[in-house]
Every structure is written in structure tokens, then in C-alpha cells.
Amino acid sequence: MDIKYVPTICPYCSCGCGIYLVIKDGRIIGQEPWKEHPVNEGANCPKGKNAYAYIYSEDRLKMPLVRKNGVFKESSWEEALNLVSSKLKEAAPEKFGLIASCRNSNEDAYVIQKFARVVMGTNNVEYCGRLCHSSAVAGLVPTMGSGVMQTSQLEIELADCIFLAGVNLKETFPMISRRVLRAKDRGAKVIYTDPRNTATARYLADIHLQLKSGTDAALINAMMSIILAEGLENKEFIATRTAGLDELRNFLSKIDLKQAEELTGVPIEKIREAAITYARAERGCILYNQGICQHTVGGDNVKLHADLALLCGHAGKPGSGVNSMRGQINGEGSGDMGCLCVFYPGFKRVSEEAAKFFEDAWGVSNLPTKPGMTYIDQLYNCKFLYMIGGDPMMVVPDVNNVKKVLQNMNFIVVQDIFLTEIARLAHVVLPAATWVEREGTHTFVDRRVQKINKFIDTPGETKPDWLIVSQLAERMGHKDKFSFSSAGEIFEEIRSCIPQYKGITYERLEKTVGGIHWPCPSEEHPGTPTMFLEKFGTPDGLGHFQPVEYKPPAEMPDEEYPYFLTTGRSIFHYHTGHMTRRTPKLMNEVPRGFVEVNPKDAIKAGVKDRDIVTLETRRGSIEAEARVTDNVQPGLLFIPVHFADSCANVLTNSALDPSCKCAETKVCAVRLEVKR
Ligand SMILES: Nc1nc2c(c(=O)[nH]1)N[C@H]1C(S)=C(S)[C@@H](COP(=O)(O)OP(=O)(O)OC[C@H]3O[C@@H](n4cnc5c(=O)[nH]c(N)nc54)[C@H](O)[C@@H]3O)O[C@H]1N2
Ligand SMILES: Nc1nc2c(c(=O)[nH]1)N[C@H]1C(S)=C(S)[C@@H](COP(=O)(O)OP(=O)(O)OC[C@H]3O[C@@H](n4cnc5c(=O)[nH]c(N)nc54)[C@H](O)[C@@H]3O)O[C@H]1N2
Ligand code: SF4
Ligand SMILES: [Mo]
């Protein structure tokens, strides 16, 4: 009998917690805490405590599947890849879309974007970051020069005021919420904006601003106007590190606080208390997420939070800044690697110059020089789709419409570990290896690069994502550019063309528990936990104020659809639930989709706790179990995104933020009825 304890990283969120897996005779049989790991020090949330069950699920894909006369038949790799190769050769570059996954390692993601650009000649390569953090680029590049998290998650303990803006931290970044608790033990105050009364409101918040959906802009403008009126702005910081305050001051002089109170539903005294607490702090730290991003004004909301931080001088220090909380295990890395239609690897904006750089680096010619299409635009405009580890039939708004466009495509190939909702519509399905069945690096929320090793054999005929894509490229006539024999070899190419990763090596990562933060320009460099210590990433190094007006959401409740609907997460599940719904211990906690209804609304609608209700919007309708709770304010309903048979995105509005094409999945208008 051979028993091994091997250290690895949890496959779910971007905290990047360490765990030990117990492996007996080549099979994972249990797990143990990793006490020395700096991120979690032995603690894990419920998902991390049940990290591997899904990989042994009976219905794991183990062979390629090819659709024949309408039904899937198992096939050889030879047959499946030949078919995909011949079909993709028919695709014009502008009709081909490729969507990578946040489950991908950096090595996978790098090879995937190289495939789109070199083999298919298009920048139509994206990942789920578009539905999530694209507003960080739209909001933070103009104000501070870069959309990445600015401080290390460990440094959050140093802050004396933490502003959680639309992030249900306790459920979505459980290990970072431990840091917030530690800061609170040392006297820090926590401000929280969320229309719901979540676990974060109850356990972490000192000042919960329970605003009406979609009114963050009105709230932040009011806070800034109060700070200026009280003379609490950081004059030295503004003089030395920013530009454009006069314009902001001018704009804010027109703000009517009474109107802000009416729009947000938050008493002005409470807004004042939050403004003064944040402004007076020595070290203020904004952590923000989807509550402010997934709106038609997401990019604007991010700008406003950056304005607030610049006004108070809360940036460029450890435990400070405006921190975009990319949520997926490789949410940062898949973007760093260039799985975005406007960026080549290393955030080199698509241009003739960037194309030339990569033509030289890769030894190719004619790389695309025009931006490609974003995630949702690809779905609506392409005829050939290669979908790797993600499920637009669950995570993109207006799923009924998404289904129609997918059914009209010429060819869909899905590469996943399960037969997902989109895989059911595919022509070919390719079985991928999971995180412990291959080697690779991931880049976590705070730009922390950690390495994950291969510990068990790939089941059946599954292969790592990078290998499948490389073998396809080989079949399509590009063998020399994709002749990688290991993940390590790909990482060396990454280091050679992405300067932020230059100093990071597999050898260093093996020796550094907790990983290394990029930018890391040389092998002697320790990595960069805090950004912007001396200057911002803007061309002149200054922070730029950007005044923004409040605009209402694209769809507001009315007589026909009288409630606001918002969507989001439970601590026990992960997005589509394809992994967590195959984990019995997590299913015991939350076995089915539900909708939160305020007790007052429940009485009005005649709904009792646990009733099955129908929810209907202009897009479609679903059924879900009612949970009557004051987690939601009157007039607001909440559904988690994790369940295919109560799919939140059947209901959501497909209106996009024009600045970044992120969808407004945090607010639309809905009707509620008891199922009769
Ligand atoms: N358990 C679990 N953890 C996860 C994930 C998961 O699926 N499950 N996913 C990961 C990923 S990829 C991401 S991006 C993060 C997401 O992390 P979060 O953004 O924290 O998650 P959400 O639940 O989508 O949204 C957060 C909150 O926004 C609030 N909200 C809704 N509308 C508004 C508004 O108008 N203003 C404000 N201020 N708040 C509003 C909602 O009520 C909700 O409580 O989580 C990561 N962590
Ligand atoms: N209404 C609404 N919609 C939302 C959101 C919301 O808050 N509300 N949030 C948005 C956000 S922030 C995000 S990040 C997206 C998430 O959207 P997705 O990324 O589409 O969701 P996941 O469940 O993370 O998808 C992971 C997929 O990868 C597969 N998989 C797991 N491991 C591997 C592997 O090693 N290789 C391959 N090839 N596949 C693998 C899983 O089976 C699963 O199908 O959803 C977005 N959609
Ligand atoms: S906090 Fe995130 S990384 Fe840590 S155990 Fe939970 S899901 Fe895994
Ligand atoms: Mo996300």
C-alpha cells in the first residue's frame, strides 16, 4: 500500500488556499489542512474541504464524443480531432469564436489564445472574465492605470477602514473575510454596500449601506461631496499624486444630498458616517466585486470608487487601494495570458505594434491587428464556436435566446470534464483532465502565482487542455509552433514574452509556499505584493479623477414586473454548479435552486416559505423554491446562479455596459407568483 500526502491548491475560488490531498495507490482518498500555507493557515471553506469529490463523479467525460444522426457516440481522439480540424478549416476568422476557461492553467490559457491568433488568424478569444471583471479595465485603467488587485490579500489586515463594495465576502472570498475579521480585532471599521442583508452584513459590517439596486453611483457621489464639504480630502496626496480634482469638485458641487437619499434609500446621516469613517482612516482599503460590476454602468461604478480612494489618498500603500476581486482560480491568469479580444499576452493592447511583437516572438506572420469580438458578441455573431470549460447556457443572460443562436451555429466543439448544458448542443465534445491530473500554474486574486502538480493519472482518454489544443493545431498544419512536450516548456515561452512573469520559474515556485506576486521582472526579484507605491500605472504616473453621473439600470420594476431581481452566489456552490452539484456534502447543504423573498412581499404575493413559485421576466420564466427571509429588502428578489433547472439567466437582462460589454446580471424587473 502506498499512501502519500501531497500539497496542492483548492480548485475553486481565487483566494488560492492550500490543502493536502491523501493519495492511496494512485487514488485520492481524503484531504488534510495545510497549516503552513500563508493564505489560509489550515482553514478552508466548505468547498475547499470537499475539493476533489467531483473528479470521481460517475458521469465524468472519459472519451471524445461525436454527434452522429443526432446522438453522441464515443470516438477515438483521431476521429474527433480530424473532424474538428476539417470543420474549423472551413471557418472564416471573423466567424470563429474561442472561449477559454478560468479552470485553465496559465499554460492552457496561453496555448489557447495562441491557437486563436496563429491558427485561426483572429482575436476572437475570450474567457468568463468578460462577464465578471471587464469593468475593472474600463474603470481603473483611466483612473489608476491598471485593473489588477493592488494589495496582497494578507496585507488587508493592516487597514483601519475596509470598504466592501458589492462583495459578499463572507460567502465568496471566505479566506479574505478572515483577514477582515483580524483587521476588525485591531479596531478597523467595515463599510458594506449591498441591497441584501447577507452573511457579510451580519458578521463583518459595522456600517451596512443597504442601498436600492443599481444606485451605487448616487451613493459614492454623495460620499465624495460630503468629504469635500467637510474638508476631509487628503490634500497632500491630491497635490503630489493626482490630476483633475477641480473638474470633480465642480461636478460634485451640483450633487443634491436629499436626492441621493431618495435614490439610494439610505438615510443621509448613514452615508455621512460612512464617508467620514473612510476619509479619516489612516489606511483605507476598498474591496469591490460583482455587486458594482454587473451593471450597464459597471465601468462607471469602478471609476467612482477609484475617485473616492484618490480623494482620500487611500492607494499606493500595503493594505490599501481599489481592489478588483477576480473570483476564479485563474481569473487573473487567463487574462494575463491574453484570452481577451483586445489584449495580446501581458495586456499588450491589440495593435499593429503588439502583433509585430508576437510575430517576432512566435516566428509567424500576419497576426491579427484589429480587436476581436467579446464573449457575448461571439455567441451572437459567430458560426463556429470552440468552448473550453464554461457554460454559456447557464452563465450568460437571456439563456433562451442564447440557445436559439447556438442551435443556429454551423459547428460547436466543447471541451469540458462533464456533459454540460452547452455540451448537449455541441457537435463534438472533448474530455479534459482536471487540476490534479496535469501540471501548471495559476494566478490568484492578488497576482499570486502558484504551481499545481500532477498527482494522479488522467482518467480514461482525458488529456490536459493545452495538449488537446496543441494536437489540434498540429493537425491544422502548425506543428512547429505548438510542439510543446510539457507545461514547463510552455511556461518558459510565457516568461520570455510576458515581462510581468519573467522572474518567475517553476523552480522558484516549488520552493516558495504561497507563490510569487507578479510583476516579477527578474529571478532575483521577490515579486510585488503592493502596486503603485510611488506612481500609478497611467502614462503620467498620476491618478486621474473621472466624474461620473448616476444613471438608472436598463430595466426598472413597473406594474407588470414589480420586483427587482438580483443574482449571485452561495458559499456552498460554484457558478454553474457542474462541480459542486456533483459533491454530495455540498448538495446536502443547498440541494436545489431557491429565491429569497422578503416576508412583507411574501404576504402580498401569498407565498409561504418553501412554496414552489414561478418567476417571470420579459425574457422567460423559471420555477424555484421560495425562501422567505429578510436577507432581501422589500421589493427585491435574489436567486443563486448555480442550478440548471432553476436557471437564473433565463430571467436576466442582456443589456451590456457599453464601456466593457459586461452584462447587467445584477438587476432586472421580475414578477413572482405561487405555482398553482
Ligand atoms: N461560493 C462561491 N464563491 C465564489 C464564486 C462562486 O461561484 N461561489 N465565484 C467566484 C467569482 S468568479 C466571483 S467573480 C466572485 C463574486 O463575488 P461577489 O461579487 O461577492 O458575488 P455575488 O454573489 O455575485 O455578488 C455580491 C453581492 O452583490 C450584491 N448586489 C446586487 N446588486 C447590487 C448593487 O446594485 N449594488 C451593490 N453594492 N451590491 C449589489 C448582491 O446582493 C450580492 O450579495 O466570487 C468568487 N467566489
Ligand atoms: N446571472 C449571473 N450570471 C453570471 C454571474 C452572476 O453573478 N449572475 N457571474 C458571472 C461570473 S463573475 C463568472 S466568473 C461566470 C462563470 O461562468 P463559467 O466560467 O462558465 O462557470 P464555471 O462553473 O466556473 O465553469 C467552469 C466549467 O469548467 C469545467 N471544468 C472544470 N475543470 C475543468 C478543466 O480542467 N478543463 C476544462 N476544459 N473544463 C473544466 C466545469 O465542468 C464547468 O463546466 O458566470 C457569470 N454569470
Ligand atoms: S476560500 Fe476559495 S480557495 Fe479557499 S477553500 Fe474556499 S473555495 Fe477554496
Ligand atoms: Mo467571476
Side-chain angles (χ1 to χ4, degrees):
M1 188 169 68
D2 173 32
I3 291 197
K4 283 190 293 222
Y5 289 78
V6 295
T8 190
I9 310 297
C10 170
Y12 286 107
C13 87
S14 62
C15 290
C17 300
I19 49 176
Y20 270 97
L21 293 175
V22 186
I23 299 180
K24 183 182 164 199
D25 297 332
R27 188 179 166 93
I28 306 173
I29 56 158
Q31 58 178 97
E32 295 284 334
W34 182 355
K35 297 212 166 105
E36 299 75 29
H37 196 285
V39 165
N40 58 313
E41 300 157 319
N44 289 111
C45 81
K47 293 181 300 311
K49 284 183 187 154
N50 296 282
Y52 68 91
Y54 73 90
I55 72 171
Y56 290 124
S57 179
E58 291 275 299
D59 61 350
R60 184 77 195 272
L61 292 171
K62 296 201 180 72
M63 296 284 289
L65 304 175
V66 172
R67 188 181 291 281
K68 288 182 184 156
N69 300 325
V71 277
F72 282 127
K73 297 269 183 244
E74 289 193 348
S75 86
S76 64
W77 277 105
E78 180 76 17
E79 181 188 349
L81 288 182
N82 279 345
L83 178 60
V84 176
S85 155
S86 69
K87 286 287 177 189
L88 295 191
K89 278 182 188 160
E90 291 171 15
E94 68 281 4
K95 289 291 169 200
F96 170 77
L98 173 48
I99 297 171
S101 178
C102 278
R103 307 284 108 206
N104 288 140
S105 64
N106 287 321
E107 293 75 358
D108 294 328
Y110 179 84
V111 170
I112 290 167
Q113 62 78 37
K114 191 173 175 184
F115 179 88
R117 292 175 166 128
V118 172
V119 179
M120 301 303 299
T122 178
N123 283 315
N124 287 349
V125 55
E126 285 268 300
Y127 77 113
C128 64
R130 178 66 59 192
L131 310 175
C132 171
H133 276 284
S134 48
S135 46
V137 174
L140 285 173
V141 169
T143 47
M144 291 176 156
S146 159
V148 298
M149 184 158 173
Q150 300 175 5
T151 187
S152 141
Q153 56 178 300
L154 311 195
E155 296 167 344
I156 293 167
E157 282 182 30
L158 303 173
D160 59 343
C161 177
I162 298 167
F163 180 175
L164 305 175
V167 56
N168 182 9
L169 205 74
K170 184 94 182 129
E171 297 204 60
T172 53
F173 295 85
M175 289 310 126
I176 299 186
S177 81
R178 285 170 70 244
R179 303 282 159 195
V180 174
L181 281 175
R182 285 195 192 157
K184 272 169 75 86
D185 279 348
R186 296 172 46 248
K189 289 278 176 276
V190 176
I191 301 165
Y192 177 48
T193 51
D194 196 316
R196 293 195 304 140
N197 183 29
T198 59
T200 303
R202 293 192 295 274
Y203 293 102
L204 299 179
D206 295 296
I207 306 173
H208 178 196
L209 306 169
Q210 198 172 354
L211 74 184
K212 289 186 199 154
S213 296
T215 59
D216 297 77
L219 181 101
I220 304 296
N221 277 333
M223 282 174 76
M224 292 196 289
S225 145
I226 292 166
I227 290 167
L228 283 172
E230 303 270 339
L232 290 174
E233 73 274 23
N234 186 331
K235 297 179 186 69
E236 196 202 326
F237 187 90
I238 291 168
T240 54
R241 297 205 51 181
T242 73
L245 179 65
D246 288 346
E247 204 190 324
L248 180 72
R249 192 191 291 276
N250 232 339
F251 168 78
L252 290 173
S253 69
K254 293 171 210 123
I255 293 291
D256 175 355
L257 294 183
K258 198 75 211 141
Q259 197 188 10
E261 184 174 81
E262 275 160 26
L263 279 172
T264 60
V266 183
I268 202 67
E269 276 322 306
K270 211 163 176 189
I271 301 180
R272 183 183 304 279
E273 186 192 356
I276 293 176
T277 306
Y278 178 75
R280 287 220 173 115
E282 273 299 303
R283 217 176 272 251
C285 182
I286 297 178
L287 305 174
Y288 78 80
N289 217 333
Q290 298 311 319
I292 71 159
C293 299
Q294 287 168 338
H295 295 272
T296 41
V297 294
D300 282 353
N301 281 344
V302 175
K303 278 185 189 162
L304 280 164
H305 287 75
D307 287 341
L308 176 66
L310 292 173
L311 193 64
C312 301
H314 291 326
K317 278 188 246 174
S320 158
V322 184
N323 295 288
S324 165
M325 312 281 292
R326 283 174 179 75
Q328 291 256 34
I329 174 171
N330 208 34
E332 180 61 53
S334 294
D336 298 346
M337 294 304 120
C339 292
L340 283 168
C341 68
V342 289
F343 289 116
Y344 272 94
F347 295 106
K348 283 198 169 60
R349 202 168 272 280
V350 166
S351 61
E352 297 210 348
E353 196 189 337
K356 176 80 184 61
F357 177 92
F358 285 98
E359 282 168 6
D360 293 345
W362 296 338
V364 296
S365 53
N366 297 326
L367 285 179
T369 56
K370 299 264 172 336
M373 279 187 276
T374 57
Y375 188 132
I376 296 178
D377 284 351
Q378 285 185 28
L379 299 182
Y380 281 92
N381 294 293
C382 291
K383 285 286 171 199
F384 297 79
L385 181 70
Y386 188 176
M387 183 78 216
I388 302 182
D391 197 350
M393 282 292 297
M394 284 191 71
V395 301
V396 170
D398 198 359
V399 157
N400 289 342
N401 228 354
V402 170
K403 185 169 185 181
K404 281 190 211 142
V405 294
L406 291 174
Q407 282 171 331
N408 263 327
M409 286 213 180
N410 293 5
F411 186 72
I412 301 176
V413 48
V414 169
Q415 188 164 306
D416 205 290
I417 62 172
F418 297 116
L419 198 66
T420 58
E421 302 303 315
I422 186 174
R424 291 172 204 280
L425 303 177
H427 299 90
V428 176
V429 181
L430 303 174
T434 68
W435 103 117
V436 278
E437 296 155 2
R438 47 101 173 125
E439 184 181 38
T441 59
H442 292 252
T443 307
F444 295 85
V445 63
D446 48 358
R447 297 165 283 107
R448 175 189 300 272
V449 183
Q450 302 191 81
K451 181 160 181 277
I452 292 176
N453 290 324
K454 172 178 158 97
F455 299 115
I456 55 173
D457 290 337
T458 47
E461 295 276 313
T462 59
K463 294 181 190 187
D465 288 297
W466 66 262
L467 187 59
I468 302 173
V469 176
S470 298
Q471 290 181 345
L472 183 61
E474 182 179 333
R475 254 159 240 265
M476 294 181 70
H478 294 267
K479 181 169 184 189
D480 55 331
K481 306 302 172 213
F482 290 84
S483 59
F484 303 111
S485 60
S486 67
E489 213 176 291
I490 303 166
F491 196 71
E492 285 307 303
E493 189 171 310
I494 291 172
R495 293 181 58 217
S496 73
C497 60
I498 305 186
Q500 295 91 325
Y501 282 72
K502 187 164 176 223
I504 303 175
T505 64
Y506 269 20
E507 207 183 350
R508 282 186 77 187
L509 290 175
E510 294 285 2
K511 286 195 281 213
T512 321
V513 176
I516 301 171
H517 301 267
W518 72 253
C520 180
S522 73
E523 286 184 43
E524 294 69 46
H525 193 284
T528 310
T530 320
M531 301 288 284
F532 312 143
L533 286 174
E534 274 142 30
K535 56 183 175 89
F536 290 104
T538 48
D540 60 7
L542 297 174
H544 288 260
F545 291 104
Q546 304 267 331
V548 180
E549 232 170 314
Y550 160 78
K551 287 193 210 85
E555 188 181 68
M556 292 291 275
D558 54 19
E559 268 179 25
E560 234 184 313
Y561 300 97
Y563 297 95
F564 275 114
L565 172 72
T566 197
T567 62
R569 294 155 169 82
S570 148
I571 191 170
F572 297 107
H573 281 283
Y574 206 76
H575 298 143
T576 59
H578 290 312
M579 290 144 54
T580 48
R581 283 188 280 122
R582 289 177 169 89
T583 304
K585 283 199 175 136
L586 298 173
M587 282 302 272
N588 287 344
E589 299 289 342
V590 180
R592 67 184 70 84
F594 60 86
V595 52
E596 292 181 350
V597 186
N598 183 275
K600 286 189 185 143
D601 291 331
I603 292 172
K604 251 197 313 192
V607 171
K608 292 189 300 305
D609 197 41
R610 308 290 152 169
D611 273 355
I612 301 299
V613 296
T614 307
L615 297 150
E616 189 179 337
T617 67
R618 290 188 175 83
R619 274 73 53 192
S621 75
I622 63 165
E623 290 177 3
E625 187 179 270
R627 285 194 181 175
V628 178
T629 163
D630 63 6
N631 279 6
V632 281
Q633 49 179 281
L636 174 68
L637 308 178
F638 166 82
I639 327 181
V641 294
H642 314 299
F643 294 89
D645 48 10
S646 301
C647 178
N649 280 316
V650 167
L651 303 174
T652 48
N653 188 355
S654 56
L656 303 180
D657 180 338
S659 73
C660 60
K661 303 259 180 131
C662 183
E664 188 152 74
T665 43
K666 282 290 180 273
V667 40
C668 69
V670 66
R671 178 158 69 207
L672 162 76
E673 274 161 17
V674 184
K675 197 188 164 201
R676 313 237 177 249

